Amino acid sequence: MDIYSILNLNFIHFPVELLICEAAFLAKKPRREHFIPRMTGTMLITIALSGLWMNFIDYISGESLIPYVFLYLGYAVITVLPIFISYDLSILETVFVIAGGYATQHMCYALLRILLYITRQSLEVEGVLRILTQYFLYILWAWLIYLLLVKKNQDKDGLRSEDIRIAIFALVLAVAAVGLSVFYSYPQNAPVNIYTAVLCPAYGFLCCMLVLSMEYYVLRENRMKKEQEIMEQLLQMANAQQKSSKETIDIINIKCHDLKHQLKTFAKMEDRRDRTEYMKEVQQAVSIYDAIFHTGCEALDYILREKSLIFNEYKVAFSCMADGTLINFMHPADIYSLMGNALDNAIERVLQEKEEERSISLHIKKHQDMFLIRLENRCGIVPEFQDGLPVTGKKDKRYHGFGVKSIRYIAEKYHGEMFMNVRDGKFILNVLLPENNQLS
């Protein structure tokens, strides 16, 4: 058996064609460690399993063509092995790649069938031409699909859990097109005419083109949903910041009003002892404006100065041991968002406690090869957690939780992690950020 005969074996050329076309959808996907050995080993296993699957279908098929529909479906399922073992993808992403690869492969097959019939009035090709049509033209077609479709949509957001219905429907549509091709092309004595060589392949081509359109329509839809969610988060955070700033201004206005009356009273006092005692009260009232922090991070200092007014007003004991220089690599806007949301959540929780039990502590320090931001606050009522995040007890749950999600988003943006838990009557937020941090 020569090389042409080996490469022409159905259980070799079809899985290889599938993998070539699936590669267009795997560009820039995260690879697992030892990628080349993993891919090489699993491809050999894929060909071996495909050979066993083909022999099994041949054994049970008899005169029926229906098992041969499952033959090609089985080939597609087997290609899950090299993809899932070599790439770091979810099950849903893997289904997306297989459906897209299957559709791409069948489009190329249908196009080649039409072109061969139009140019040669025959579908029989041998030798080098057969290798060309079975391998190299599939590489060219996969490359075109990548340039025209995949590359332009790589910035779209990934699939969501509800997209499984779309992925399955796309796969079913692709299999239906392949099933049709089995019935018009698989019998060895099938007639070659304009119906079997042009019209049916053209129909299959359009079906598969619809599959690809549907898949990337879903991605575009997801991107729009994500942008809408981000806008809602920004609006909610802006409202929260406006509320916090208004509260701070109200506190300052009240203090100024009280101070004005205290100065009038002070001017009318004649007894020196009374004047001295009253001066101490005035100094204590003004002392809230002396809450100046020098952590080494200007953005953090600004946030702490603003929140200190609220701490004083609501009798919240606040302690801070923070080396702000450790987080200077972060963008100031990210520091405002992360620390502002974290402190707002802590304040909201401690205000539910008795006045004498209201306490918040902030630590920023180096922990091994990581930077640790740790915020603790008194928490007498243990909240319910879902997906690692506390569930709100508020009636309106639509927008609540954006602050916490924003903290997690910023942590992941800098390749870090966020953890929340309740222990010994304290709500603990830990944000771990790698030391050598560079945004991707």
Side-chain angles (χ1 to χ4, degrees), residues 42-58:
T42 51
M43 281 189 67
L44 294 175
I45 295 173
T46 296
I47 292 174
L49 291 176
S50 298
L52 293 174
W53 179 245
M54 187 189 73
N55 288 331
F56 174 74
I57 293 297
D58 286 339

Side-chain angles (χ1 to χ4, degrees), residues 314-349:
Y314 295 105
K315 306 295 188 298
V316 178
F318 177 69
S319 61
C320 177
M321 296 182 64
D323 182 0
T325 60
L326 299 178
I327 59 172
N328 272 331
F329 65 88
M330 298 175 64
H331 193 280
D334 291 332
I335 297 175
Y336 290 139
S337 181
L338 190 151
M339 298 307 305
N341 281 309
L343 287 168
D344 285 342
N345 289 339
I347 292 169
E348 182 181 344
R349 289 191 178 277

Side-chain angles (χ1 to χ4, degrees), residues 7-8 60 107 138 167 195 225 229 239 259 301 372 391:
L7 293 176
N8 189 41
I60 66 170
M107 288 173 71
Y138 281 92
Y195 174 76
K225 289 180 181 178
E229 289 175 0
N239 291 336
L259 184 59
D301 293 344
L372 172 65
V391 178

Side-chain angles (χ1 to χ4, degrees), residues 370 411-412 415-419 430-434:
M370 306 285 284
E412 293 175 351
H415 314 294
E417 293 183 276
M418 181 202 75
F419 305 95
N430 287 317
V431 178
L432 283 169
L433 303 172

Side-chain angles (χ1 to χ4, degrees), residues 137-345:
L137 290 182
Y138 281 92
I139 295 174
L140 177 61
W141 181 253
W143 180 69
L144 287 174
I145 292 294
Y146 170 76
L147 290 180
L148 298 175
L149 183 65
V150 180
K151 187 177 181 180
K152 293 180 179 180
N153 292 278
Q154 283 181 336
D155 61 334
K156 304 293 187 295
D157 287 284
L159 297 166
R160 298 166 179 245
S161 58
E162 63 267 23
D163 295 333
I164 184 64
R165 292 169 298 176
I166 301 298
I168 292 176
F169 180 71
L171 194 58
V172 168
L173 193 59
V175 171
V178 174
L180 176 64
S181 74
V182 167
F183 283 95
Y184 69 68
S185 65
Y186 210 84
Q188 298 297 324
N189 57 350
V192 178
N193 51 45
I194 193 169
Y195 174 76
T196 61
V198 177
L199 296 181
C200 287
Y203 174 78
F205 185 93
L206 292 175
C207 286
C208 293
M209 189 166 63
L210 177 61
V211 168
L212 295 181
S213 300
M214 286 174 53
E215 288 196 328
Y216 281 95
Y217 172 79
V218 168
L219 292 187
R220 285 191 293 271
E221 195 75 8
N222 285 347
R223 186 184 187 186
M224 294 175 64
K225 289 180 181 178
K226 184 67 175 178
E227 289 176 350
Q228 182 180 2
E229 289 175 0
I230 291 173
M231 289 301 299
E232 289 175 348
Q233 290 183 28
L234 291 174
L235 289 172
Q236 181 67 11
M237 289 165 60
N239 291 336
Q241 182 62 36
Q242 183 182 18
K243 180 181 178 182
S244 177
S245 299
K246 182 179 182 301
E247 189 173 9
T248 303
I249 292 171
D250 289 343
I251 292 171
I252 294 174
N253 288 337
I254 292 170
K255 293 295 181 182
C256 289
H257 183 268
D258 292 344
L259 184 59
K260 182 175 70 173
H261 287 284
Q262 287 172 338
L263 290 173
K264 287 181 180 179
T265 304
F266 179 75
K268 297 177 181 179
M269 286 185 177
E270 296 180 358
D271 186 272
R272 179 174 293 181
R273 181 177 299 177
D274 290 341
R275 289 167 67 94
T276 303
E277 291 296 325
Y278 208 76
M279 180 59 73
K280 289 181 180 179
E281 292 181 15
V282 173
Q283 289 175 343
Q284 186 176 2
V286 178
S287 65
I288 64 170
Y289 304 106
D290 295 330
I292 299 176
F293 295 89
H294 298 286
T295 65
C297 175
E298 185 177 349
L300 178 60
D301 293 344
Y302 176 84
I303 294 169
L304 294 179
R305 280 197 297 270
E306 181 182 1
K307 301 304 178 186
S308 65
L309 296 173
I310 300 175
F311 296 150
N312 280 278
E313 178 67 17
Y314 295 105
K315 306 295 188 298
V316 178
F318 177 69
S319 61
C320 177
M321 296 182 64
D323 182 0
T325 60
L326 299 178
I327 59 172
N328 272 331
F329 65 88
M330 298 175 64
H331 193 280
D334 291 332
I335 297 175
Y336 290 139
S337 181
L338 190 151
M339 298 307 305
N341 281 309
L343 287 168
D344 285 342
N345 289 339

Side-chain angles (χ1 to χ4, degrees), residues 332-374:
D334 291 332
I335 297 175
Y336 290 139
S337 181
L338 190 151
M339 298 307 305
N341 281 309
L343 287 168
D344 285 342
N345 289 339
I347 292 169
E348 182 181 344
R349 289 191 178 277
V350 296
L351 292 183
Q352 301 173 18
E353 306 295 327
K354 297 179 181 178
E355 188 172 299
E356 62 273 12
E357 295 181 353
R358 295 174 183 175
S359 63
I360 298 175
S361 64
L362 172 65
H363 294 80
I364 300 178
K365 60 184 179 179
K366 188 174 180 181
H367 180 71
Q368 297 177 357
D369 59 343
M370 306 285 284
F371 297 144
L372 172 65
I373 302 173
R374 184 181 180 90

